Amino acid sequence: VDDDDDDDEMRARGCMKHARRTSPTEMLTPNVVSLWYRPPELLLGAEAYDEGVDNWAAGCVIAELLKGVPLIKGKNELDQLRIMWDVLGVPKMEQWPSLKEMPSIKNGSISIPQQKAYVSSTASSYSSLPSQFRNLSSSGLGLLTNLLQYNPSTRWKSKEALESPYFHEMPMPINQTLMPTFPTRHGK
């Protein structure tokens, strides 16, 4: 299956919009996503990015739907990073080699704190996600973990996320024809 076909299907369902492709050297604004859903690369000043910013936001929204409250609810960009590091652990250079090239890291305005370990039985012992989502299946936790990867190049794309076994677990979603409908109020 072609990625473009998957994207067309997602747009047809109203799940995503078509973003203009940019060159890797084209400068973009880092303020494209609401603060609580903004990925680390934008918080660290990246001006070139891709659809991974939306996949990070999707991970934040899924976590919020599961918890009933936002996962990372910062008051400003620095607070957002601090909470992100508390929830997901501090990013490691080995996992995100281009971290040292992020503008805010490179210019010294933000420094990465020391790693602190969480008590966890998972390989990702630096994340508190397993303890925050104790009732979530391993495939659900995998979905969150892969959408909330610090490194944009290893973060799941929409196709990978949609293929997650989590979406095939019980309870299954209700058939769309059985969903209630409400009259529209547009144009009044």
Side-chain angles (χ1 to χ4, degrees), residues 40 44 56 71-72 80-93 95-96 99 111-120 122-132 145 148-151:
L44 295 171
W56 175 277
L71 180 65
I72 307 169
Q80 187 72 7
L81 281 169
R82 183 192 56 76
I83 295 170
M84 185 182 294
W85 294 337
D86 284 346
V87 171
L88 301 174
V90 177
K92 297 179 187 177
M93 296 287 183
Q95 295 171 327
W96 187 9
L99 175 61
S111 59
I112 304 296
Q114 290 294 331
Q115 186 74 44
K116 66 179 180 181
Y118 287 93
V119 177
S120 171
T122 67
S124 178
S125 62
Y126 297 104
S127 172
S128 70
L129 286 179
S131 63
Q132 289 195 50
T145 301
L148 298 175
Q149 287 291 311
Y150 282 123
N151 185 343

Side-chain angles (χ1 to χ4, degrees), residues 3-169:
D3 278 344
D4 289 335
D5 292 339
D6 288 339
D7 289 349
D8 289 342
E9 180 181 342
M10 292 296 289
R11 278 192 291 283
R13 291 182 184 180
C15 297
M16 68 183 269
K17 61 184 179 195
H18 180 71
R20 178 177 57 89
R21 296 276 183 214
T22 61
S23 72
T25 58
E26 184 176 356
M27 300 304 231
L28 302 169
T29 178
N31 296 321
V32 294
V33 180
S34 297
L35 180 62
W36 296 346
Y37 311 98
R38 198 171 299 161
E41 62 269 27
L42 296 184
L43 293 168
L44 295 171
E47 294 176 331
Y49 47 85
D50 61 15
E51 67 275 2
V53 300
D54 295 326
N55 297 331
W56 175 277
C60 291
V61 169
I62 291 168
E64 183 173 342
L65 289 170
L66 292 168
K67 283 185 71 154
V69 295
L71 180 65
I72 307 169
K73 190 177 175 181
K75 295 179 180 92
N76 54 51
E77 290 184 345
L78 287 175
D79 192 43
Q80 187 72 7
L81 281 169
R82 183 192 56 76
I83 295 170
M84 185 182 294
W85 294 337
D86 284 346
V87 171
L88 301 174
V90 177
K92 297 179 187 177
M93 296 287 183
E94 310 86 67
Q95 295 171 327
W96 187 9
S98 61
L99 175 61
K100 63 185 173 288
E101 300 303 320
M102 292 288 112
S104 295
I105 300 293
K106 200 171 186 174
N107 71 20
S109 62
I110 295 177
S111 59
I112 304 296
Q114 290 294 331
Q115 186 74 44
K116 66 179 180 181
Y118 287 93
V119 177
S120 171
S121 60
T122 67
S124 178
S125 62
Y126 297 104
S127 172
S128 70
L129 286 179
S131 63
Q132 289 195 50
F133 295 95
R134 286 193 172 100
N135 295 326
L136 189 59
S137 68
S138 61
S139 59
L141 193 57
L143 174 66
L144 280 181
T145 301
N146 284 295
L147 287 171
L148 298 175
Q149 287 291 311
Y150 282 123
N151 185 343
S153 66
T154 60
R155 191 177 301 145
W156 270 6
K157 305 292 184 217
S158 57
K159 182 179 188 321
E160 293 166 306
L162 288 170
E163 291 172 350
S164 169
Y166 178 70
F167 295 117
H168 301 284
E169 293 178 354

Side-chain angles (χ1 to χ4, degrees), residues 2 143 175:
D2 186 345
L143 174 66
N175 186 306

